[in-house]
Amino acid sequence: MRDIHILDVSLRDGSHSMKHQYSEQQVRDIARGLNQAGVEYFEVAHGDGLGGSSLQYGLSAVDELKLIEAAANECTDSKVAVLLIPGIGIKDDLKNAVNAGAKMARVATHVTEADISAQHIAYSRELGLKTAGFLMMAHMAPTSVIVEQAKLFESYGAEIVYVTDSAGYLLPDQVTERIRALKENIGCEIGFHAHNNMSLAMANSLAAIEAGATYIDGSLRALGAGSGNTQTEVLVAVLQRMGIQTGVDLYNIIDVANDIVAPILPRPQEISGSSLIMGYAGVYSSFLLHTEKASKQFGVDERDILVELGRRKTVGGQEDLIYEVAQSLRK
């Protein structure tokens, strides 16, 4: 019996921090550990979803379908989820992911663009996948708009709608307001995906649960873009203290985090000056590594780049603007 469904994103959101260089063996080891710990769903894909391996978003070391198949082969109970952003991934990517062993798809759009997802959500349901709509950059729209967009997802066939704090910008009361409004206005289940750029991922996840969310994302050792996500093993411990059932074994999930994930972390998942400013300015968390590169290339402060990106209200897919901003700041 699970009161809350934890979905681990270490093998997808964590791909950003890993510069999309996961090996098949690393994916197998983490997948096996998550399965043994009793995690119901975990996501496997390029950081920008199916089809994301490219010069713009970063080339994967191993084809994502091979990684999905490897992860699925390690599962006896856990189920592999995938992320698809329309325009980066296409419907055929969903079919290929199913053939590789995926059981769940999350179709992600900008918070005001749910209308581009209709065919992808419908096709995901047709393929028999557990299907979610994923509203990214949820801080960039008022609650009334989020409700409208969630209703679109639900009308297309989404079984879950996620509020996604892609920048780690939201405060707990803002999370509560958004989740509560969805709870009052849609019939499907509600999920929440946090980033920890302002050290609020856990607080925001708990606020989402209190307001009615039943699907919560986390990553082992907070391995994700920016300063990472709600830390899966810590979330399990906190919810266990609260008497909330997740179906995840606490000791096992700690072992996966410490023994398998910790040794491969490319850098500590701490809140650095740049990732803090990313949350403060409301900038897409996957921009962090691109910003670091642009800062070195043009000799300007990362924080200045991020503040300007926030002022321009940039969104995922506008990575080219990072370098344009850096160049303009140098001038």
Side-chain angles (χ1 to χ4, degrees):
M1 177 67 182
R2 301 175 195 262
D3 301 320
I4 295 296
H5 306 271
I6 292 179
L7 190 152
D8 188 89
V9 298
S10 307
L11 292 173
R12 197 277 303 168
D13 214 321
S15 183
H16 288 298
S17 291
M18 296 290 291
K19 298 183 180 179
H20 315 296
Q21 299 303 294
Y22 270 123
S23 70
E24 181 179 340
Q25 190 59 54
Q26 288 170 334
V27 169
R28 283 187 177 276
D29 291 343
I30 294 171
R32 188 183 313 115
L34 289 167
N35 179 73
Q36 291 174 349
V39 173
E40 186 176 12
Y41 291 100
F42 62 87
E43 203 167 47
V44 183
H46 183 279
D48 293 285
L50 298 176
S53 181
S54 63
L55 290 175
Q56 180 175 4
Y57 298 112
L59 293 169
S60 299
V62 180
D63 182 87
E64 62 196 7
L65 293 174
K66 188 172 183 180
L67 296 182
I68 292 166
E69 184 175 13
N73 286 340
E74 297 296 333
C75 294
T76 55
D77 298 302
S78 296
K79 300 177 182 66
V80 172
V82 294
L83 183 82
L84 181 137
I85 302 174
I88 296 177
I90 60 177
K91 288 167 60 178
D92 282 351
D93 291 320
L94 286 174
K95 184 176 182 180
N96 292 335
V98 169
N99 291 337
K103 302 296 183 184
M104 179 183 192
R106 305 202 292 181
V107 180
T109 74
H110 183 62
V111 67
T112 59
E113 298 177 354
D115 59 335
I116 69 172
S117 71
Q119 61 178 317
H120 305 85
I121 288 177
Y123 190 55
S124 176
R125 291 296 304 273
E126 183 182 326
L127 291 170
L129 291 164
K130 183 80 170 179
T131 304
F134 206 66
L135 290 171
M136 299 187 293
M137 299 294 278
H139 72 280
M140 295 184 72
T143 299
S144 59
V145 171
I146 291 174
V147 170
E148 292 172 1
Q149 298 296 304
K151 286 182 176 179
L152 288 178
F153 273 150
E154 186 175 37
S155 72
Y156 303 150
E159 299 165 274
I160 313 161
V161 173
Y162 273 81
V163 172
T164 306
D165 186 15
S166 312
Y169 180 88
L170 293 174
L171 303 175
D173 65 303
Q174 296 172 313
V175 174
T176 297
E177 178 186 329
R178 285 159 170 77
I179 299 295
R180 185 172 292 159
L182 293 192
K183 185 71 174 175
E184 293 171 353
N185 286 280
I186 62 175
C188 63
E189 293 193 84
I190 300 164
F192 181 69
H193 174 100
H195 276 269
N196 201 42
N197 297 331
M198 292 206 299
S199 196
L200 289 172
M202 181 63 72
N204 284 344
S205 294
L206 295 180
I209 290 170
E210 185 175 353
T214 52
Y215 280 78
I216 302 293
D217 285 7
S219 58
L220 298 163
R221 281 295 183 106
L223 180 57
S227 290
N229 313 98
T230 308
Q231 196 163 335
T232 300
E233 65 275 19
V234 180
L235 179 62
V236 171
V238 170
L239 294 182
Q240 191 164 308
R241 282 282 311 276
M242 295 172 67
I244 296 173
Q245 300 299 314
T246 65
V248 181
D249 183 88
L250 179 58
Y251 284 10
N252 280 351
I253 199 68
I254 290 173
D255 288 344
V256 182
N258 291 348
D259 300 341
I260 300 175
V261 173
I264 67 171
L265 286 176
R267 58 185 176 82
Q269 287 297 98
E270 60 189 10
I271 300 171
S272 66
S274 294
S275 60
L276 172 58
I277 293 298
M278 179 172 281
Y280 173 80
V283 176
Y284 197 49
S285 289
S286 67
F287 282 10
L288 184 61
L289 296 179
H290 294 284
T291 303
E292 290 174 355
K293 184 178 177 181
S295 172
K296 292 175 182 176
Q297 181 177 339
F298 293 100
V300 295
D301 194 314
E302 292 175 32
R303 295 168 294 184
D304 290 336
I305 300 172
L306 291 166
V307 168
E308 178 60 17
L309 290 170
R311 188 188 70 78
R312 295 191 187 192
K313 300 187 182 301
T314 52
V315 299
Q318 294 182 306
E319 284 78 0
D320 55 318
L321 281 180
I322 298 170
Y323 299 92
E324 179 184 312
V325 165
Q327 186 175 31
S328 67
L329 288 171
R330 184 178 69 175
K331 291 178 181 178

